[in-house]
């Protein structure tokens, strides 16, 4: 607490004296506390950076330890000159090899059109009494209740807006010659899945078809607009599907037809060629990420342990780096001609320890020893598992780095508490000084006053005697 009048009575600079005395006791000690807190926080920040880099590296290690990475397949497509006719996606169940595929027919839903002369305007009344209409295509169905006096336009809107409509689109077509047609298009494709409309009231028979081909005066399926299967030929085998996707026709392949094959000069359907092979690109991308994250980890180690940094001289960081380096040098058995990761194109810089990947050497290894590459990285004895288990000791909620960070954060809290207590004691010390010097100031002020009075009396006596 500052008392600005301190020293007024005595004429002495007691305020500065109190501040200096407090400063002597406080400043160096408070600076020491703050330096310690700053050091702890810097250490937490450094360990946080190390932990983040190690976790990122461990993610790349875990990816290499995933057996499914090496089970992946990819489909390379060679389309005919006329354009793309089919797309193929391969999964791990696909067998390596090639498939020649032609497309005979795309799947389609059916289309029904009302009879000529039935309606002349969109405002024509559909039914005087109303009733129920049921729309069915294959296993799909929905119904609507048509109100008495409903118009053709209202019927169209009611069909399109039905909440359980499975994919029937209603449209009105005016031929300009006094005829308006109700056209219904179904999204349900596949042979035998033609759209059928049934009425629950005779007055609605004019807009219903009880069977494919339509009833008298009702809806009919126009020629060429019946529901159809998609048809493809795979290496001479004809395959049908009620949609344009063939998900189980060939094991491990998802085939989607895009267009019907054009005929070549000999009158034969053009084919697309799907080449199925190991997904080398995915493995290379994962391995490149492993190399990149390892180099980033070394960079973080260097930055956080250089002179003047919190982790300078850290034996833990040195040990981690040494252990990871040793893991990389592991020699494997059971991986065919491959004995280490350096046999597949990974290289290490002698000076920096950084890794790089020789893509040419990698491609050669993948084409000649794919299964051996998988053995090298994945499985219980693979490098991925070896490094993953080691990194677990440091990362994660129970890892050593988190333990250190938690302990250091506790030290920050403890030191901040000690500083707070010390500041409180300094406030008490300052108050005691002010109390003491206030008394001294009052005493000196009184003594000055008495001295001035005595001097005045002595001066008066001297003048009288003179």
């Amino acid at each position: 607490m500052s008392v600005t009048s301190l020293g007024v009575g005595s004429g002495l600079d007691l305020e500065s004296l109190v501040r200096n005395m407090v400063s002597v006791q406080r400043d160096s000690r408070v600076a020491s506390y703050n330096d310690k807190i700053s050091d702890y926080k810097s250490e937490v920040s450094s360990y946080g950076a190390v932990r983040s880099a190690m976790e990122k590296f461990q993610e790349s290690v875990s990816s290499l330890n995933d057996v499914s990475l090496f089970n992946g397949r990819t489909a390379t497509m060679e389309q005919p000159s006329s354009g793309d006719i089919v797309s193929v996606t391969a999964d791990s169940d696909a067998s390596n090899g090639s498939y020649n595929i032609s497309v005979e027919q795309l799947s389609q839903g059916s289309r029904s059109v009302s009879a000529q002369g039935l309606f002349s305007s969109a405002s024509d009344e559909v039914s005087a009494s109303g009733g129920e209409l049921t729309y069915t295509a294959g296993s799909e169905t929905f119904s609507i209740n048509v109100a008495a006096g409903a118009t053709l336009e209202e019927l169209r809107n009611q069909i399109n807006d039905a909440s359980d409509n499975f994919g029937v689109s209603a449209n009105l077509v005016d031929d300009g010659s006094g005829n308006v047609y109700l056209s219904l298009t179904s999204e349900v494709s596949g042979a035998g899945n033609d759209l059928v409309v049934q009425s629950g009231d005779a007055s609605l028979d004019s807009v219903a078809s009880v069977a494919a081909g339509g009833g008298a005066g009702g809806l009919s399926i126009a020629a060429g607009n019946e529901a159809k299967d998609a048809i493809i030929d795979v290496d001479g085998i004809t395959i049908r599907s009620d949609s344009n996707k063939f998900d189980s026709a060939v094991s491990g392949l998802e085939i989607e037809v895009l267009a019907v094959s054009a005929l070549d000069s000999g009158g034969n359907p053009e084919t697309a060629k799907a080449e199925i092979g190991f997904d080398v690109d995915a493995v290379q991308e994962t391995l490149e990420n492993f190399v990149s994250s390892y180099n980033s980890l070394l960079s973080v180690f260097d930055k956080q342990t250089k002179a003047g940094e919190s982790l300078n001289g850290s034996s833990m960081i040195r040990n981690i780096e040494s252990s990871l380096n040793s893991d990389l040098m592991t020699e494997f058995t059971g991986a065919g001609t491959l004995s280490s990761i350096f046999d597949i194109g990974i290289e290490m810089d002698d000076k920096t320890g950084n890794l790089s990947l020789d893509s040419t050497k990698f491609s050669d290894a993948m084409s000649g020893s794919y299964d051996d590459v998988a053995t090298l990285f994945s499985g219980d004895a693979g490098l991925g598992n070896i490094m993953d288990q080691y990194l677990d000791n440091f990362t994660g909620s129970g890892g050593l780095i988190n333990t250190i960070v938690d302990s250091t954060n506790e030290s920050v809290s403890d030191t901040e508490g000690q500083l707070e207590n010390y500041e409180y004691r300094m406030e008490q010390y300052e108050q005691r000084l002010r109390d003491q010097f206030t008394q001294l100031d009052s005493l000196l002020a009184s003594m000055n006053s008495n001295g001035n009075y005595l001097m005045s009396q002595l001066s008066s006596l001297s003048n009288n005697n003179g």
Side-chain angles (χ1 to χ4, degrees):
M1 180 183 296
S2 175
V3 181
T4 56
S5 61
L6 190 61
V8 171
S10 63
L12 301 175
D13 190 3
L14 299 179
E15 180 67 33
S16 295
L17 181 59
V18 168
R19 289 178 180 174
N20 289 336
M21 292 178 69
V22 171
S23 178
V24 169
Q25 291 289 326
R26 176 187 179 279
D27 291 356
S28 61
R29 188 75 175 273
V30 168
S32 177
Y33 279 125
N34 284 328
D35 287 345
K36 187 178 292 186
I37 291 171
S38 178
D39 289 343
Y40 283 141
K41 289 184 176 180
S42 294
E43 189 174 334
V44 169
S45 178
S46 294
Y47 276 118
V50 168
R51 177 179 56 194
S52 178
M54 291 185 70
E55 287 173 346
K56 185 175 181 180
F57 176 60
Q58 188 171 18
E59 288 177 5
S60 70
V61 168
S62 298
S63 296
L64 282 176
N65 191 31
D66 186 354
V67 176
S68 64
L69 170 67
F70 300 93
N71 291 337
R73 299 293 187 273
T74 186
T76 303
M77 297 299 302
E78 182 181 331
Q79 302 283 359
S81 58
S82 59
D84 294 356
I85 61 172
V86 64
S87 69
V88 177
T89 303
D91 62 27
S92 59
D93 292 329
S95 298
N96 288 356
S98 62
Y99 301 86
N100 294 306
I101 305 170
S102 63
V103 181
E104 177 183 331
Q105 178 175 286
L106 299 181
S107 69
Q108 70 174 34
S110 60
R111 179 172 174 266
S112 300
V113 182
S114 61
Q116 183 178 1
L118 191 61
F119 302 107
S120 62
S121 167
S123 60
D124 284 358
E125 186 178 275
V126 174
S127 169
S129 58
E132 184 178 69
L133 286 173
T134 299
Y135 299 81
T136 303
S139 61
E140 303 287 349
T141 185
F142 76 96
S143 299
I144 60 173
N145 289 307
V146 181
T151 66
L152 185 61
E153 183 174 15
E154 289 171 339
L155 174 62
R156 178 197 64 183
N157 294 339
Q158 192 173 359
I159 294 170
N160 291 335
D161 295 341
S163 61
D164 53 352
N165 187 329
F166 54 77
V168 175
S169 176
N171 292 284
L172 299 181
V173 181
D174 190 333
D175 67 0
S177 300
N179 294 302
V180 173
Y181 300 88
L182 174 64
S183 172
L184 301 179
T185 303
S186 169
E187 293 181 356
V188 179
S189 58
N193 291 331
D194 293 325
L195 177 65
V196 175
V197 187
Q198 294 175 298
S199 63
D201 188 276
S203 67
L204 287 170
D205 285 348
S206 61
V207 290
S209 173
V210 297
L219 293 167
S220 64
I221 298 175
N225 285 292
E226 69 274 11
K228 295 179 180 179
D229 285 339
I231 305 175
I232 61 175
D233 181 288
V234 180
D235 290 338
I237 301 173
T238 300
I239 305 172
R240 307 177 73 96
S241 171
D242 60 7
S243 74
N244 286 325
K245 292 185 177 181
F246 296 75
D247 293 338
S248 57
V250 181
S251 178
L253 299 185
E254 292 183 4
I255 302 172
E256 181 176 3
V257 292
L258 307 175
V260 174
S261 294
L263 300 180
D264 60 21
S265 57
N268 299 310
E270 293 183 333
T271 63
K273 184 176 182 180
E275 191 76 35
I276 311 302
F278 294 115
D279 195 351
V280 176
D281 289 343
V283 177
Q284 181 170 349
E285 182 180 350
T286 303
L287 195 55
E288 287 174 343
N289 184 51
F290 169 84
V291 168
S292 175
S293 58
Y294 179 78
N295 293 341
S296 295
L297 179 60
L298 294 188
S299 177
V300 170
F301 285 165
D302 290 343
K303 179 179 178 180
Q304 300 302 330
T305 58
K306 67 182 181 181
E309 295 298 325
S310 301
L311 303 184
N312 177 247
S314 169
S315 59
M316 185 185 77
I317 300 300
R318 288 198 306 271
N319 290 337
I320 293 175
E321 189 168 352
S322 175
S323 295
L324 292 178
N325 185 276
S326 178
D327 288 342
L328 292 173
M329 299 294 180
T330 301
E331 292 193 1
F332 297 89
T333 57
T337 59
L338 306 178
S339 60
S340 77
I341 63 171
F342 303 106
D343 291 333
I344 65 167
I346 290 183
E347 299 175 350
M348 179 181 288
D349 188 285
D350 293 336
K351 294 181 179 178
T352 65
N354 285 346
L355 301 180
S356 60
L357 179 65
D358 184 324
S359 57
T360 300
K361 192 172 181 180
F362 169 78
S363 296
D364 291 342
M366 293 296 283
S367 61
S369 307
Y370 189 92
D371 291 337
D372 294 333
V373 174
T375 301
L376 206 64
F377 286 104
S378 63
D380 292 341
L383 178 65
N385 191 53
I386 292 173
M387 300 190 89
D388 203 10
Q389 288 183 346
Y390 176 73
L391 291 167
D392 273 340
N393 296 319
F394 301 93
T395 59
S397 58
L400 180 58
I401 292 180
N402 265 357
T403 300
I404 293 174
V405 169
D406 290 344
S407 175
T408 307
N409 277 325
E410 288 180 6
S411 296
V412 171
S413 298
D414 290 345
T415 307
E416 288 176 338
Q418 293 171 15
L419 175 58
E420 184 178 349
N421 290 335
Y422 186 72
E423 291 279 26
Y424 175 75
R425 292 199 301 272
M426 286 296 96
E427 289 177 2
Q428 298 299 103
Y429 172 64
E430 181 178 355
Q431 188 58 54
R432 288 197 302 272
L433 289 178
R434 291 187 177 279
D435 291 344
Q436 293 169 359
F437 279 105
T438 296
Q439 294 176 9
L440 175 61
D441 193 35
S442 296
L443 178 60
L444 291 175
S446 176
M447 291 175 64
N448 285 338
S449 177
N450 290 336
N452 290 336
Y453 174 75
L454 289 174
M455 291 299 294
S456 175
Q457 292 299 313
L458 289 173
S459 177
S460 178
L461 289 173
S462 175
N463 291 332
N464 289 336
N465 290 334

